[in-house]
Amino acid sequence: MDTRSTRIGFISTGLNTYWSQFDGLLEHLEGYSRSIVSHIAQNGDVIVTDAGMVDSPEKAQEAGRMLREACVDILFVYISTYCLSSTILPVAQEAGCTCIFLNIQPDSKIDYAALNSLGDRGRMTGMWLENCQACSIPELCCVFNRSGLRYEIVTGHLKCGQTWKEIDEWVLAAKAFHGMRHNRLGVLGHYYCGMLDVYTDIQKQSSTFGTHFELIEMDELASLRREVTEDQVKAKIEEFGSTFKVSPECDAYELDRAARTSVALDKLVERHDLGSMAYYYEGAPGSEHEDISTSVIAGNTILTGKGIPVAGECEVKNVQAMKIMSLMNAGGSFSEFYAMDFDDDVILLGHDGPAHYMMSDEKVELVPLPVYHGKPGKGLSIQMTVKSTDVTVLSVCEGKDGVFLLVSEGQSVPGPVLRIGNTNSRYRFPCGMKKFFEGWVKAGPSHHLTVGIGHVAGAVRKLAVLFGIPVVTIE
């Protein structure tokens, strides 16, 4: 998978005629610009290409070339004062990405008394122009609309926390955008037979998100598993011990099976440079493939916790959602609806399969299951409850008109859960459990969804803008 940093483009706008007319104006505007660039760069794992003040057609051409060569994923356009749309249009056309107009004043309002007390209309005009961000926005929006260019607006001031939050959400969305465009998704096995809602058009997924799909044979995983050494098995069992709370009920035979499969999965991921994977397989009773298929949960959980999400039942759409959550540093754990608790107004979500162990309220338990319900065989599974905190639930959906995102924010709350060897947690939503559930399912997702830690719906909505797809929010 391409691991290069997300590329953020940045320009300031202005009108070069002003600089000789108003002493100190350019210096003040450049100071505001530097504060914004510095904040963006603090997000980590981003490369910011600052093409400077674009205040003339010549500088527009130079900035456009610089941003095109930098292959920026998103372009912040700081409206520092009035600018001509003719100097910004070519920059956006060359950059070839979504532009975010930063309609950001230095403060919440002009200091009218201070301005009017200057006693010099030239100096007074210069001070006004430091606060003249809104003047250019209508012109730019008009031109971008007519040119078919994608843009959004952040409106606020430099001393407002919400302003910086919106900028951070755009940076987070850009990181997920970049990561999805460079992700390699493995498909191992086949769909769960008859689970029609899970079936997906991987061409649509690829063309929407830029995902590369690697179709992988179970025979390859089986071959890698046969090559696993005893030392590798021992090391993996030790990793199980450090990662999970291994139940005394887990016998040596099952731990050995799970460890061999986990080592082989690691090698498979490395060989194909995978950033995520969807899988399902059954195999003939007593076959090598069945032995593998009934021993994958521990290994796939470890991969998921390391930022390589794995979804069972070959749920490609949901592993895309899990990858988005992972790229947003929110985790992303494979889930489905388990039950409703009308007394506490919560809904229970969980799954028998790989989970994101970093989201657990305590060390995840590795336990034996006497049967995988609805699937063949038996083996080890994960018992986990998501920590009590803010959460975001996300689905990547395919409707009759194409791909869209479905998102909602709520809380993981404490309380009784099912101790059946599955992931299992309780969730409460501001709109109420019934309204959330009915709104969610009527949007048309598959029955799987992804749970992430924290409230990141704002960044998810911005990601949808970057991909040019719809987003539905249940709130």
Side-chain angles (χ1 to χ4, degrees), residues 347-391:
I347 193 159
L348 278 69
L349 302 176
H351 210 278
D352 64 333
H356 199 300
Y357 64 86
M358 299 301 291
M359 296 169 55
S360 178
D361 62 347
E362 56 188 14
K363 202 168 187 180
V364 170
E365 295 179 71
L366 187 64
V367 300
L369 279 186
V371 61
Y372 292 132
H373 68 275
K375 306 177 181 73
K378 63 185 180 68
L380 302 185
S381 186
I382 295 298
Q383 177 78 49
M384 186 192 96
T385 298
V386 171
K387 65 184 72 174
S388 298
T389 187
D390 291 339
V391 297

Side-chain angles (χ1 to χ4, degrees), residues 18 135 138 150 173 231 239 245 258 279 347 363 403 421 465-466:
Y18 290 158
C135 186
R150 190 178 299 157
D231 285 344
E239 185 178 1
K245 181 182 178 181
Y279 78 97
I347 193 159
K363 202 168 187 180
V403 177
V465 171
L466 298 182

